[in-house]
Amino acid sequence: MNRAEFDVGARLRILREMHGLSQRELAKRAGVSNAIISLIEQNRSSPSVGSLKKVLDGLPISLAEFFAVDPAPRPRVFFNADELVELAGGRISYRQVGPDLAGRALQILHEHYAPGADTGEAMLHHESEEGGVVIRGRLEITVGDQSRVLGPGEAYYFDSRLPHRFRNLGEEECEVVSACTPPSF
Amino acid sequence: MNRAEFDVGARLRILREMHGLSQRELAKRAGVSNAIISLIEQNRSSPSVGSLKKVLDGLPISLAEFFAVDPAPRPRVFFNADELVELAGGRISYRQVGPDLAGRALQILHEHYAPGADTGEAMLHHESEEGGVVIRGRLEITVGDQSRVLGPGEAYYFDSRLPHRFRNLGEEECEVVSACTPPSF
DNA sequence: TAAGTCTGTTTAATATATTCAACATTCACA
DNA sequence: TGTGAATGTTGAATATATTAAACAGACTTA
């Protein structure tokens, strides 16, 4: 296994910034001094596991997640979306963002649901996680035994092993951008 | 979130014994004193990440493997996005879709770039893949040595180990939905 | 028995992590 | 302009991790 050097400081800084926290805010949540967070992020101090755990609890993420690394893909760049795909007799259409399925880490779809569009009663489920944002219109999302109607700017995220279903109950077309981890068919 | 305590000492002792090494043997391989291994295993000392790494190198086991716990992700459903996070002096803002970083397979962001917003010259790069769709406005995307201006409905996808930068050069606010795999840093 | 060598543990000295307080900078606001 | 409240950083004091060396027990071997 490729045992690359693990940059504790850089990782902590990125995670903290992604959570929109200042060093002092995180320090307060974690119950440590702000100075030590600065020093750790500069790799001027190698935190004890105990204090690193306290800091991560402030985010909160686990030690396992902190140290987990993803397998490295090859550098690729793609602009624009693939061709339009139509489902449900044209009532649902989407474009896939990025390269074709093989080897991707992400599947991103730009979807359009016509009024009345429905992914169907036989609810989908697959081994991945999935989320999205409603851009325009209203969409009913049913996951497991929960159901919600989302409008523009609202969002969802779920474990796609749960059976799920999407329906446009309104009079207006609904537009959604969604993403999921690569489906393992 | 219920994050079970991680017993560093017990885990180290078990791993060491599974490898059939005495404390002194492991200490010699790791380049540390035998005393500290005894103390760590008794949880009388919380090792620094640096020295823990040295010890694990003697097994050899990575930090990720040491802290890895059985991936038993519970099915989860989340609606709506987290609170608004602001960057670049408020010119760039986003909401994160779904749960907090911990254990997610996906990061989905609903982003807004004010006119003139710029992620900066010191271009970002991290270990993941990333893509998105422009909903409104125009956004210049620079990845490696490629640069493109995307408008509504247009999309991008790239390996985020390539340095990248986003700029809104227009007069209008730009809205984007993006997704990436969980960044390792 | 005693001397040898292995085991894990402990003690006192030292190196380092961590704290507290101050500093320099930036940004919002008067 | 200035003043206050943010930001990240740094220095000196303190707490803790780490070392080197010694200790105690279990097992050979003579």
PDB file of all heavy atoms in Angstrom, chain A residues 135-146:
ATOM      1  N   ILE A 135     -33.528  23.372  -7.739  1.00  0.00           N
ATOM      2  CA  ILE A 135     -33.242  24.685  -8.298  1.00  0.00           C
ATOM      3  C   ILE A 135     -34.531  25.445  -8.592  1.00  0.00           C
ATOM      4  O   ILE A 135     -34.636  26.643  -8.342  1.00  0.00           O
ATOM      5  CB  ILE A 135     -32.445  24.529  -9.612  1.00  0.00           C
ATOM      6  CG1 ILE A 135     -31.158  23.745  -9.377  1.00  0.00           C
ATOM      7  CG2 ILE A 135     -32.178  25.878 -10.235  1.00  0.00           C
ATOM      8  CD1 ILE A 135     -30.267  24.328  -8.321  1.00  0.00           C
ATOM      9  N   ARG A 136     -35.496  24.721  -9.112  1.00  0.00           N
ATOM     10  CA  ARG A 136     -36.725  25.366  -9.608  1.00  0.00           C
ATOM     11  C   ARG A 136     -37.857  24.366  -9.460  1.00  0.00           C
ATOM     12  O   ARG A 136     -37.647  23.161  -9.596  1.00  0.00           O
ATOM     13  CB  ARG A 136     -36.509  25.726 -11.082  1.00  0.00           C
ATOM     14  CG  ARG A 136     -37.522  26.635 -11.712  1.00  0.00           C
ATOM     15  CD  ARG A 136     -36.936  27.252 -13.000  1.00  0.00           C
ATOM     16  NE  ARG A 136     -36.302  26.236 -13.852  1.00  0.00           N
ATOM     17  CZ  ARG A 136     -36.971  25.498 -14.740  1.00  0.00           C
ATOM     18  NH1 ARG A 136     -38.259  25.652 -14.894  1.00  0.00           N
ATOM     19  NH2 ARG A 136     -36.335  24.610 -15.484  1.00  0.00           N
ATOM     20  N   GLY A 137     -39.052  24.847  -9.148  1.00  0.00           N
ATOM     21  CA  GLY A 137     -40.213  23.958  -9.007  1.00  0.00           C
ATOM     22  C   GLY A 137     -40.228  23.273  -7.656  1.00  0.00           C
ATOM     23  O   GLY A 137     -39.498  23.645  -6.737  1.00  0.00           O
ATOM     24  N   ARG A 138     -41.072  22.256  -7.547  1.00  0.00           N
ATOM     25  CA  ARG A 138     -41.221  21.543  -6.276  1.00  0.00           C
ATOM     26  C   ARG A 138     -41.144  20.048  -6.550  1.00  0.00           C
ATOM     27  O   ARG A 138     -41.694  19.552  -7.515  1.00  0.00           O
ATOM     28  CB  ARG A 138     -42.557  21.897  -5.613  1.00  0.00           C
ATOM     29  CG  ARG A 138     -42.701  23.385  -5.352  1.00  0.00           C
ATOM     30  CD  ARG A 138     -44.043  23.712  -4.732  1.00  0.00           C
ATOM     31  NE  ARG A 138     -44.136  23.247  -3.358  1.00  0.00           N
ATOM     32  CZ  ARG A 138     -43.526  23.843  -2.336  1.00  0.00           C
ATOM     33  NH1 ARG A 138     -42.780  24.918  -2.529  1.00  0.00           N
ATOM     34  NH2 ARG A 138     -43.656  23.379  -1.125  1.00  0.00           N
ATOM     35  N   LEU A 139     -40.466  19.329  -5.646  1.00  0.00           N
ATOM     36  CA  LEU A 139     -40.274  17.890  -5.845  1.00  0.00           C
ATOM     37  C   LEU A 139     -40.582  17.161  -4.548  1.00  0.00           C
ATOM     38  O   LEU A 139     -40.064  17.522  -3.486  1.00  0.00           O
ATOM     39  CB  LEU A 139     -38.830  17.618  -6.277  1.00  0.00           C
ATOM     40  CG  LEU A 139     -38.514  16.197  -6.746  1.00  0.00           C
ATOM     41  CD1 LEU A 139     -39.231  15.899  -8.054  1.00  0.00           C
ATOM     42  CD2 LEU A 139     -37.013  16.018  -6.919  1.00  0.00           C
ATOM     43  N   GLU A 140     -41.415  16.130  -4.654  1.00  0.00           N
ATOM     44  CA  GLU A 140     -41.669  15.284  -3.481  1.00  0.00           C
ATOM     45  C   GLU A 140     -40.635  14.176  -3.447  1.00  0.00           C
ATOM     46  O   GLU A 140     -40.440  13.455  -4.432  1.00  0.00           O
ATOM     47  CB  GLU A 140     -43.069  14.675  -3.544  1.00  0.00           C
ATOM     48  CG  GLU A 140     -43.370  13.867  -2.291  1.00  0.00           C
ATOM     49  CD  GLU A 140     -44.422  12.787  -2.529  1.00  0.00           C
ATOM     50  OE1 GLU A 140     -44.212  11.926  -3.412  1.00  0.00           O
ATOM     51  OE2 GLU A 140     -45.439  12.814  -1.840  1.00  0.00           O
ATOM     52  N   ILE A 141     -39.975  14.039  -2.326  1.00  0.00           N
ATOM     53  CA  ILE A 141     -38.950  13.011  -2.174  1.00  0.00           C
ATOM     54  C   ILE A 141     -39.371  12.076  -1.063  1.00  0.00           C
ATOM     55  O   ILE A 141     -39.654  12.523   0.058  1.00  0.00           O
ATOM     56  CB  ILE A 141     -37.586  13.648  -1.855  1.00  0.00           C
ATOM     57  CG1 ILE A 141     -37.202  14.614  -2.977  1.00  0.00           C
ATOM     58  CG2 ILE A 141     -36.525  12.582  -1.664  1.00  0.00           C
ATOM     59  CD1 ILE A 141     -35.880  15.286  -2.772  1.00  0.00           C
ATOM     60  N   THR A 142     -39.421  10.781  -1.376  1.00  0.00           N
ATOM     61  CA  THR A 142     -39.773   9.780  -0.372  1.00  0.00           C
ATOM     62  C   THR A 142     -38.573   8.864  -0.175  1.00  0.00           C
ATOM     63  O   THR A 142     -38.064   8.272  -1.122  1.00  0.00           O
ATOM     64  CB  THR A 142     -40.986   8.953  -0.831  1.00  0.00           C
ATOM     65  OG1 THR A 142     -42.064   9.828  -1.151  1.00  0.00           O
ATOM     66  CG2 THR A 142     -41.408   7.979   0.246  1.00  0.00           C
ATOM     67  N   VAL A 143     -38.104   8.791   1.061  1.00  0.00           N
ATOM     68  CA  VAL A 143     -36.969   7.916   1.387  1.00  0.00           C
ATOM     69  C   VAL A 143     -37.373   7.074   2.574  1.00  0.00           C
ATOM     70  O   VAL A 143     -37.685   7.603   3.643  1.00  0.00           O
ATOM     71  CB  VAL A 143     -35.713   8.727   1.732  1.00  0.00           C
ATOM     72  CG1 VAL A 143     -34.549   7.774   1.998  1.00  0.00           C
ATOM     73  CG2 VAL A 143     -35.363   9.700   0.628  1.00  0.00           C
ATOM     74  N   GLY A 144     -37.375   5.763   2.403  1.00  0.00           N
ATOM     75  CA  GLY A 144     -37.843   4.894   3.478  1.00  0.00           C
ATOM     76  C   GLY A 144     -39.274   5.274   3.819  1.00  0.00           C
ATOM     77  O   GLY A 144     -40.129   5.340   2.926  1.00  0.00           O
ATOM     78  N   ASP A 145     -39.519   5.593   5.068  1.00  0.00           N
ATOM     79  CA  ASP A 145     -40.878   5.964   5.456  1.00  0.00           C
ATOM     80  C   ASP A 145     -41.034   7.475   5.603  1.00  0.00           C
ATOM     81  O   ASP A 145     -42.055   7.951   6.073  1.00  0.00           O
ATOM     82  CB  ASP A 145     -41.262   5.257   6.763  1.00  0.00           C
ATOM     83  CG  ASP A 145     -40.233   5.508   7.848  1.00  0.00           C
ATOM     84  OD1 ASP A 145     -39.255   6.236   7.575  1.00  0.00           O
ATOM     85  OD2 ASP A 145     -40.396   4.988   8.952  1.00  0.00           O
ATOM     86  N   GLN A 146     -39.997   8.241   5.181  1.00  0.00           N
ATOM     87  CA  GLN A 146     -40.090   9.698   5.269  1.00  0.00           C
ATOM     88  C   GLN A 146     -40.415  10.287   3.912  1.00  0.00           C
ATOM     89  O   GLN A 146     -39.934   9.827   2.892  1.00  0.00           O
ATOM     90  CB  GLN A 146     -38.766  10.291   5.756  1.00  0.00           C
ATOM     91  CG  GLN A 146     -38.373   9.883   7.161  1.00  0.00           C
ATOM     92  CD  GLN A 146     -37.130  10.637   7.602  1.00  0.00           C
ATOM     93  OE1 GLN A 146     -37.089  11.850   7.557  1.00  0.00           O
ATOM     94  NE2 GLN A 146     -36.119   9.899   8.020  1.00  0.00           N
TER      95      GLN A 146
END
